[in-house]
């Protein structure tokens, strides 16, 4: 029986779920982000210890050196839950789809000067492997981090990184077919310029502290790599040299970096503000990783620009990263 | 430099390989064992990760696009459902018990599954299974969230929904699904896949989702039935993943076969014990019934199961060890569970009731060999007590099974008049089980199951020390959410609101 119930006025018993009422009161109707994110992870009466590491708990905040009184303080300023996340990305992929079509229909690749194509080949395509590492690293943070508001965006970030690796692969296929991907993988495995980065990522894939992985991958490495490669080399140098087609095909990466760094910065800031002890640990991670990855990225930048300029670009990116760190409350 | 080429036409498989498989590389600076430390300890041998067949070939751009379309439709429907007081369209307020159980027991399981798949999506040493598991991980958080959003509107008007988060961790019957998923997550990556990907998603999922979703459709619950439909294509992917992973393990090395068999035996039994709650839901909680648990089992358990295990026989896999015991229990479990829930209804965050005259007719017809003979007399006794102004409650604490965590209320497979009870001594302690199946699971891994958190002993220990009122506060159970349906606020409100509608 379908009844016409639209007109009834009935009083509500509960404005919200109890766990949300405890956190936010019940004056306001909770947002869908709040309903989808807070207190979803089991916290008590975990039944068994992991057989893979019996010294750990099934959900274990002590896997990290970082301590939070409440991990649910680490909320995502984008307020991404599955629905808002996919709707956003679907819109972006539509844009990317039409970007690929535009580049194809205008024959932008064929009209591109050889040096530009060479840079795309040598610098961009191998980065698909780096994005895969970022996918794996974020999957670890999602799996082993503590508290849904911290771990949830990491699965989105992991899938984004896979998406980026796939966009880079399509770019490769467009400029040089399967051979372009093969050559890029060869470079990734063997060429001198890429070895420091590959080694560092293999090292990072051995780290098991979820927050350390988060900071080193998402704040430090991506915080250097994206401004350096996409904002400076692609969107400035390549565009000046007639490579706007490339810039169109990496638009997702540029926008994604700007969007997601708001989240990464906010996590860093909240963790640093939590305690002096956290701040010390975070400063040590950021400081060593920033110095390390800066030197690692120097030969990578050298694939696109002359030595002096590479130095300059990399140190600009480094300064920018330290500015972000300071804004987040570190190093003061 | 000659890098401009006309691209070859790549087929889907080859293209997908380039978009996923080809992204990974063989590490040379670090040992694989450092990067994937948990991939060996269960004894599963993998010689060639590239033999993994991608169960579905979905690149991220396509994933975002399809999923966003589904999300748009889903939220449009549940928004309308909330706006139009869609909750008043359910058959009657008894139906709510089914979805209270769902929110308290299943949605947290969806979440656990999300985290578990993220872990195995990290731990497998091959990019094929990594990506497939990551996709299931992100799907599972979708399921948890869409369910909470659908229930959110019911929570505004009825009892028993609002503190599902504490009750997930504290209330006794929720430790049945909780311990199930904790068990899977605390196992290694391969066992997790057999437990959740294969046994749960492939073998048993139809027995969980079809009953709930068609129950929702039959009983006018548009919100629940919409998330069921919306999750269907995700489930189809998860089922192919489950099947692919078992085939992959079996094909990699003959030594894997006995290990996989042991896990199938365990998880099939564990899953069937968990599904006894669904059995009670189907036979007792739906005001309009879809089919009986027996009928569902015949279709989704027996028919599908036989086909599947015929198929797996070529690897040397046998049907699950306790299959016959499950078969013998099918005509009994829903009645046993519901009688249990009814007598402990003072301690459940949902209502229960005695079957009505027409319910009884239906149960007689669906269970001709068991209902009238064994269970009707017990229901009649409960009904008589109620009619005499009494209450059919059992304040004695049920003894819980150390493995499945259900009360030991089941009967002997071959003698429905005898309660089944098993014990094992381990390191000077006695452990209790509901069945041979659970005892067997324990004895394979006693060091794991002795750790189980048992909610009933917890009630007797510090700080509750058997104080029922204190326990209710601790599990956040308000008296209005528990007990007999007939006298519940939910029933009264629902009927009042419905009347308001028809007189307006
Ligand atoms: Fe699911
Ligand atoms: Fe049991």
């Amino acid at each position: 029986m379908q009844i016409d119930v639209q007109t009834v006025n009935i009083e509500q018993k509960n404005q919200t779920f109890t766990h949300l009422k405890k956190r936010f009161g019940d004056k306001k109707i909770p947002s869908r982000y709040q309903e989808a994110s807070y207190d979803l992870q089991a916290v008590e009466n975990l039944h068994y210890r992991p057989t893979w590491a019996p010294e750990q708990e099934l959900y274990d905040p002590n896997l990290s050196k970082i301590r939070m009184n409440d991990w649910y303080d680490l909320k995502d300023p984008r307020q991404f839950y599955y629905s808002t996340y996919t709707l956003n990305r679907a819109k972006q992929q539509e844009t990317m789809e039409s970007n690929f079509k535009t580049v194809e229909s205008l024959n932008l690749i064929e009209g591109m000067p050889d040096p530009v194509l060479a840079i795309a080949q040598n610098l961009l395509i191998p980065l698909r492997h780096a994005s895969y590492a970022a996918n794996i690293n974020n999957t670890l943070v999602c799996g082993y981090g503590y508290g849904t508001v911290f771990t949830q965006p990491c699965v989105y970030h992991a899938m984004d990184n896979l998406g980026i690796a796939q966009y880079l692969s399509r770019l490769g296929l467009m400029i040089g077919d399967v051979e372009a991907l093969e050559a890029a993988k060869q470079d990734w495995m063997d060429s001198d310029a890429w070895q420091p980065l590959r080694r560092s990522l293999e090292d990072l894939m051995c780290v098991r502290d979820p927050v350390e992985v988060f900071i080193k991958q998402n704040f430090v490495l991506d915080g250097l790599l994206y401004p350096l490669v996409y904002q400076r080399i692609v969107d400035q140098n390549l565009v000046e040299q007639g490579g706007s087609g490339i810039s169109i095909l990496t638009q997702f990466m540029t926008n994604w970096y700007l969007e997601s760094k708001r989240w990464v910065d906010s996590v860093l800031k909240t963790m640093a503000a939590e305690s002096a002890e956290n701040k010390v640990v975070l400063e040590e991670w950021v400081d060593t990783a920033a110095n390390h990855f800066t030197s690692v990225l120097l030969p990578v930048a050298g694939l696109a620009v002359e030595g002096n300029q590479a130095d300059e670009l990399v140190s600009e990116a480094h300064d920018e990263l330290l500015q972000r760190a300071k804004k987040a409350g570190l190093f003061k | 430099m000659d890098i401009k080429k006309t691209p070859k036409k790549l087929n889907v498989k080859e293209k997908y390989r380039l978009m996923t498989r080809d992204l990974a590389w063989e590490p040379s600076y670090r040992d694989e064992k450092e990067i994937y430390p948990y991939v060996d300890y269960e004894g599963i041998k993998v010689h060639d990760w590239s033999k993994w067949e991608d169960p579905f070939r979905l690149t991220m751009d396509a994933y975002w696009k399809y999923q966003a379309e589904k999300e748009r439709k889903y939220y449009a429907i549940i928004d309308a459902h909330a706006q139009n007081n869609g909750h008043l369209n359910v058959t009657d307020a008894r139906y709510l018990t089914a979805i209270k159980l769902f929110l308290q027991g299943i949605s947290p399981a969806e979440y656990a599954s999300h985290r578990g798949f993220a872990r195995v999506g990290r731990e497998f040493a091959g990019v094929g299974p990594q990506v497939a598991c990551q996709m299931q991980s992100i799907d599972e958080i979708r399921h948890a969230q869409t369910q909470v959003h659908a229930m959110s509107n019911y929570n505004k008007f009825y009892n028993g929904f609002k503190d599902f988060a504490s009750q997930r961790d504290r209330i006794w019957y929720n430790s049945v699904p909780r311990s199930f998923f904790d068990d899977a997550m605390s196992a290694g990556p391969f066992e997790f896949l057999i437990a959740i990907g294969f046994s749960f998603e492939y073998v048993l999922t139809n027995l969980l989702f079809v009953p709930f979703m068609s129950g929702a459709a039959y009983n006018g619950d548009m919100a629940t039935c919409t998330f069921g439909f919306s999750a269907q294509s995700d489930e189809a992917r998860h089922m192919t993943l489950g099947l692919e992973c078992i085939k992959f393990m079996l094909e990699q090395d003959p030594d894997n076969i006995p290990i996989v068999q042991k896990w199938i035996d365990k998880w099939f039994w564990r899953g069937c014990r968990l599904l006894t709650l669904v059995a009670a839901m189907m036979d007792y909680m739906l005001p309009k019934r879809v089919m009986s648990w027996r009928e569902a089992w015949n279709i989704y358990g027996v028919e599908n199961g036989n086909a599947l295990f015929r198929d797996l026989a070529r690897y040397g896999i046998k049907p699950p060890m306790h299959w016959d015991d499950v078969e013998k229990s099918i005509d009994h479990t829903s009645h046993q569970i519901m009688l249990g829930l009814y007598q402990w209804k003072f301690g459940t965050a949902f209502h229960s009731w005695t079957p009505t005259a027409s319910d009884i007719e239906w149960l007689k017809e669906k269970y001709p060999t068991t209902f009238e003979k064994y269970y009707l007399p017990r229901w009649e006794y409960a009904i008589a007590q109620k009619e005499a102004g009494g209450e059919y409650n059992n304040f004695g604490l049920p003894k819980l099974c150390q493995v499945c965590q259900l009360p030991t209320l089941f009967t002997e497979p071959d003698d429905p008049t005898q309660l089944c009870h098993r014990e094992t001594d381990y390191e000077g302690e006695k452990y209790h089980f509901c069945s041979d199946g659970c005892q067997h699971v324990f004895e394979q891994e006693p060091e794991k199951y002795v750790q189980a958190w048992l909610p009933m002993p917890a009630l007797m220990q510090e700080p509750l020390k058997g104080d029922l009122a204190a326990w209710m506060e601790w599990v956040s159970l308000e008296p209005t959410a528990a007990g007999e349906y007939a006298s519940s606020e939910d029933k009264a409100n629902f009927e009042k609101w419905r009347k308001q509608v028809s007189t307006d």
Side-chain angles (χ1 to χ4, degrees), chain B residues 110 113 136 139-140 143-144 147 201 209 231 234-235 238:
Chain B
E110 301 273 17
S113 184
Q136 181 153 356
D139 284 342
E140 298 295 1
H143 299 171
Q147 290 164 19
E201 293 277 357
F209 278 92
D234 303 346
E235 293 302 335
H238 301 171

Side-chain angles (χ1 to χ4, degrees), chain B residues 273 401 404 434-435 438:
Chain B
R273 270 302 185 238
C401 173
C404 72
C434 71
S435 57
C438 282

